Amino acid sequence: MGEPAAIRLTEVDTPRGMALLRDPLLNKGTAFTELERDTLGLRGLLPAHVLTMEEQAERVMTNLRRLPNDLEKYVALNALHDRNEALFFRIVCDNIDEIQPLIYTPTVGLACQRFGHIFQRPRGLFIGANDRGRIRELLSNWPYAAKLIVVTDGERILGLGDLGANGMGIPVGKLSLYAACAGIHPKLCLPVMLDVGTNNETLLNDPYYVGLRQKRLSGAAYDEFVDEFVTAARAVFPGILIQFEDFANHSAFHLLQKYRGKIPTFNDDIQGTASVALAGLFSALRVTGGKLSDQKILFLGAGEAATGIADLAVSAMAAEGVTEAEARLRVWLVDSRGLVVRNRAGLNEQKNRYAHDHAPITDFLSAVRDLKPTAIIGVAAVGGTFTPEVLQTMAQINKRPIIFALSNPTSKAECSAEEAYRHTDGRALFACGSPYDPVQLGGKTFVPRQGNNSYIFPGVGLGAIVSGTRLVTDEMFMVAARTLAQLVSEADINQGSLYPALPRIREVSASIAAAVAGVAYERGLAARQAPANVLEYVQSQMYDARY
C-alpha cells in the first residue's frame, strides 16, 4: 500500500518525455536528476537547474502565502495536486496546520459553491443518472486498482445544502486527507460523484455549472442507481472500501442501514462525526471527572451527525454498566421545531429513539434552562445559535460546561471559540468544527482544537484496508474514539485542547488504524492474518510522499 512515488528507471512501462511530465503520480518537475533526464527523454524539456524537493516546497509555500485569499490558495494547491502529487502531499504533511483548512474545511465549502467557476481539470469519476446500465463500464475506465472510494451525491454539502455535482470537492478533499494524514497511497484513492441532478435553482441557472441540468433522481430510481454503483464498484475493485459522504439525512441513514452489514462501508457524517465527538467528551471528562453515563447531553440538531453521536455515546454509556434505555434518557435533541419529545407527530426512526416524556419546548435556551445539561453539542449548521445567554446559562449550571460547536464551515458555527470562553469566564471545555486562533482571556491562553473528522476517518480507513475487513463496525469507531482520547496529552488538556495537535495526525492515524485492524482480527472479519506487531505493520504500509 505504501508504494513509493519515486521513478524506477528499470520499469519498461514508465512513461517518457512529456507524457511523464503530465502524469501527476510520477512527475517530479525540476527535481528530476541529470541521469533521469537522460534516461527518460526529459533533456531539454526542463530548465537546467535541478532542485531538491525541499527547495520546490519552499518555493510553492512562498508563492502560496503571497496570494490574497483562501480560495485562490485552494486553486493553486489544486493545480499543484494535478501536476505533482508527491510534492503536493509533502507540502500538506509538512504544513498540515496551515494547509488542511485550505484543502478541506472551511475553504472547501466555498470552493464547492464556486466549483464550476474555478474548474480546471477533472479528478475522479463523475457518474451521472444518464449512465444507468453502464456504470461498471465507467468504473473500468479508472486506470488504477482502487482500494478506497469516497462517494457523494452532493445533496448536503457541509452545512451548505444541495450543491449537486459541485460537491465533488468533498470526495477530492477527503481523499487528500487520507493520503496526507494516514498514508494511503493516492493511486488507491478514487473520488466519485453520483450526479443525480440538483434541486438548487441557482445552480440549474448557472452557465458554469458542471453537472446534469435536471431535478434530482428520487425514490426507487435513485435506489436502483446507487445499488448499480455499489455492485459495479465491488466487481471492478474487489474488496473496495466505500465511504458515503455528504448525503442528505434521508439517504444517509437509508444507505448506511442497507449496506453496512453486507460490505465494508461507513458514513463519515454519521459515524466519523460520532467518533470524534465522543473522543472529545472522553477528553473533557478528564477535567470534570465522573463517567460518561453521569452526563446529560443536549444536541442542537437532530440529523445524521446528532443521532450518530448520540448512538455512539449511548453505546459507550452502556459499556459503563447502565442499560441502553437508561443511557438514552441522558441524551436529548432539539430540532427546528424545538425539543424532540414523545408523541410529537412526524418523528422519524432516528429522532424517535431520543423522544422522551416532557412538555414541549420551542427554543434551545429554554431547553438548556429546563434540562440543565452538562454538555451541549451543536450540529445544526445554523450560525450563532449558541448565544451569549445560552453560554452564560451553561456556565451557571456547570463548573466546567462542555460546549462543542461542531457545525462547519465557520459561517455555520454555533459560536466562536472567543465567544465560548468569554461568556463562560474561561471555564468552557470547548471543541469546534472549524479552526480558530488561540484566545487570550484573563491572562491565560486557550488553544481550541477542531473536533474534525480528519482525526478519525483516515485511521479507520487505513485500518480497514490493511486488515482487509469485510465490515466496518460501530466497535471500530468506539476504539477509534478511545484511542484518539488517549493521545491527548496533559499539556493539551491544560491549555484547553481536547484533541492532539494536528501535526501529530499521522501518529494518530497509525494508532487508530492499528486499533481498528485489531478489532477486525479479533472478530474474525479480516481477510488477512494478524501480523506479530499490528502497529509496526500499519506504519510499514503508510505512503511517505518523497521522491
Side-chain angles (χ1 to χ4, degrees), residues 74-234:
Y74 175 93
V75 172
L77 286 165
N78 206 41
L80 176 62
H81 194 184
D82 284 339
R83 68 176 182 268
N84 185 334
E85 295 216 19
L87 182 58
F88 170 79
F89 287 115
R90 185 75 267 140
I91 284 169
V92 177
C93 290
D94 290 346
N95 305 274
I96 189 73
D97 274 326
E98 183 175 356
I99 301 298
Q100 179 167 304
L102 298 175
I103 63 172
Y104 203 61
T105 57
T107 309
V108 72
L110 177 59
C112 286
Q113 290 175 305
R114 302 282 298 165
F115 191 82
H117 295 251
I118 63 174
F119 185 85
Q120 293 177 322
R121 177 175 173 176
R123 178 171 287 274
L125 287 176
F126 293 81
I127 301 174
N130 56 339
D131 295 314
R132 281 176 286 181
R134 55 175 186 170
I135 294 178
R136 181 168 180 170
E137 176 187 340
L138 267 67
L139 287 166
S140 297
N141 287 337
W142 189 248
Y144 309 113
K147 291 188 178 180
L148 169 63
I149 286 174
V150 176
V151 59
T152 188
D153 70 352
E155 190 170 5
R156 191 206 62 92
I157 297 299
L158 303 176
L160 302 170
D162 183 355
L163 297 184
N166 284 8
M168 182 55 134
I170 296 295
V172 170
K174 285 276 185 180
L175 287 166
S176 294
L177 295 182
Y178 267 114
C181 300
I184 297 177
H185 197 286
K187 183 187 288 188
L188 307 179
C189 299
L190 172 56
V192 173
M193 162 54 63
L194 297 181
D195 185 358
V196 295
T198 180
N199 295 334
N200 186 325
E201 291 293 338
T202 300
L203 292 180
L204 290 173
N205 294 317
D206 182 350
Y208 301 113
Y209 177 57
V210 299
L212 289 175
R213 294 172 187 271
Q214 64 180 51
K215 295 293 186 180
R216 281 189 168 273
L217 204 64
S218 61
Y222 175 87
D223 288 344
E224 290 166 7
F225 176 72
V226 175
D227 200 55
E228 183 186 349
F229 160 71
V230 171
T231 302
R234 288 177 54 75

Side-chain angles (χ1 to χ4, degrees), residues 475-518:
E475 184 182 5
M476 294 175 180
F477 285 99
M478 184 74 75
V479 301
R482 293 193 183 279
T483 301
L484 176 57
Q486 289 165 2
L487 290 168
V488 180
S489 69
E490 285 301 317
D492 291 326
I493 294 291
N494 291 338
Q495 65 181 11
S497 302
L498 302 182
Y499 297 97
L502 202 53
R504 294 178 60 200
I505 190 64
R506 285 175 72 95
E507 171 199 349
V508 168
S509 295
S511 296
I512 288 175
V516 166

Side-chain angles (χ1 to χ4, degrees), residues 68-406:
N69 58 61
D70 288 348
L71 185 60
E72 290 203 27
K73 293 176 183 180
Y74 175 93
V75 172
L77 286 165
N78 206 41
L80 176 62
H81 194 184
D82 284 339
R83 68 176 182 268
N84 185 334
E85 295 216 19
L87 182 58
F88 170 79
F89 287 115
R90 185 75 267 140
I91 284 169
V92 177
C93 290
D94 290 346
N95 305 274
I96 189 73
D97 274 326
E98 183 175 356
I99 301 298
Q100 179 167 304
L102 298 175
I103 63 172
Y104 203 61
T105 57
T107 309
V108 72
L110 177 59
C112 286
Q113 290 175 305
R114 302 282 298 165
F115 191 82
H117 295 251
I118 63 174
F119 185 85
Q120 293 177 322
R121 177 175 173 176
R123 178 171 287 274
L125 287 176
F126 293 81
I127 301 174
N130 56 339
D131 295 314
R132 281 176 286 181
R134 55 175 186 170
I135 294 178
R136 181 168 180 170
E137 176 187 340
L138 267 67
L139 287 166
S140 297
N141 287 337
W142 189 248
Y144 309 113
K147 291 188 178 180
L148 169 63
I149 286 174
V150 176
V151 59
T152 188
D153 70 352
E155 190 170 5
R156 191 206 62 92
I157 297 299
L158 303 176
L160 302 170
D162 183 355
L163 297 184
N166 284 8
M168 182 55 134
I170 296 295
V172 170
K174 285 276 185 180
L175 287 166
S176 294
L177 295 182
Y178 267 114
C181 300
I184 297 177
H185 197 286
K187 183 187 288 188
L188 307 179
C189 299
L190 172 56
V192 173
M193 162 54 63
L194 297 181
D195 185 358
V196 295
T198 180
N199 295 334
N200 186 325
E201 291 293 338
T202 300
L203 292 180
L204 290 173
N205 294 317
D206 182 350
Y208 301 113
Y209 177 57
V210 299
L212 289 175
R213 294 172 187 271
Q214 64 180 51
K215 295 293 186 180
R216 281 189 168 273
L217 204 64
S218 61
Y222 175 87
D223 288 344
E224 290 166 7
F225 176 72
V226 175
D227 200 55
E228 183 186 349
F229 160 71
V230 171
T231 302
R234 288 177 54 75
V236 176
F237 309 112
I240 190 78
L241 172 65
I242 299 176
Q243 175 182 324
F244 289 96
E245 187 70 29
D246 282 7
F247 285 73
N249 288 347
H250 59 92
S251 298
F253 288 115
H254 167 64
L255 294 173
L256 181 61
Q257 189 62 31
K258 180 175 182 178
Y259 294 113
R260 67 187 305 176
K262 301 175 183 177
I263 66 172
T265 187
F266 67 95
N267 182 302
D268 186 50
D269 303 302
I270 299 173
Q271 296 160 288
T273 300
S275 187
V276 77
L278 182 59
L281 290 172
F282 286 147
S283 295
L285 290 176
R286 288 167 57 178
V287 178
T288 64
K291 299 186 295 185
L292 186 64
S293 53
D294 296 329
Q295 310 307 305
K296 184 181 286 185
I297 306 171
L298 177 62
F299 287 87
L300 180 57
E304 56 196 275
T307 55
I309 299 168
D311 288 347
L312 198 62
V314 164
S315 296
M317 291 180 190
E320 294 178 347
V322 301
T323 67
E324 184 174 306
E326 290 170 333
R328 288 194 190 283
L329 290 173
R330 309 297 297 174
V331 178
W332 296 75
L333 309 178
V334 172
D335 64 9
S336 60
R337 294 172 56 194
L339 188 66
V340 174
V341 295
R342 197 177 304 281
N343 299 324
R344 197 178 88 180
L347 294 178
N348 61 28
E349 178 187 350
Q350 288 74 35
K351 291 183 185 181
N352 200 49
R353 291 200 296 272
Y354 299 99
H356 307 311
D357 290 320
H358 198 283
I361 296 177
T362 57
D363 67 285
F364 189 69
L365 176 59
S366 296
V368 171
R369 287 172 172 163
D370 190 84
L371 295 173
K372 295 179 172 52
T374 58
I376 56 173
I377 299 178
V379 283
V382 181
T385 41
F386 285 178
T387 63
E389 293 79 13
V390 166
L391 297 169
Q392 290 160 9
T393 301
M394 282 295 292
Q396 291 164 9
I397 296 167
N398 301 283
K399 183 178 179 181
R400 299 300 303 271
I402 300 170
I403 297 168
F404 289 3
L406 300 183

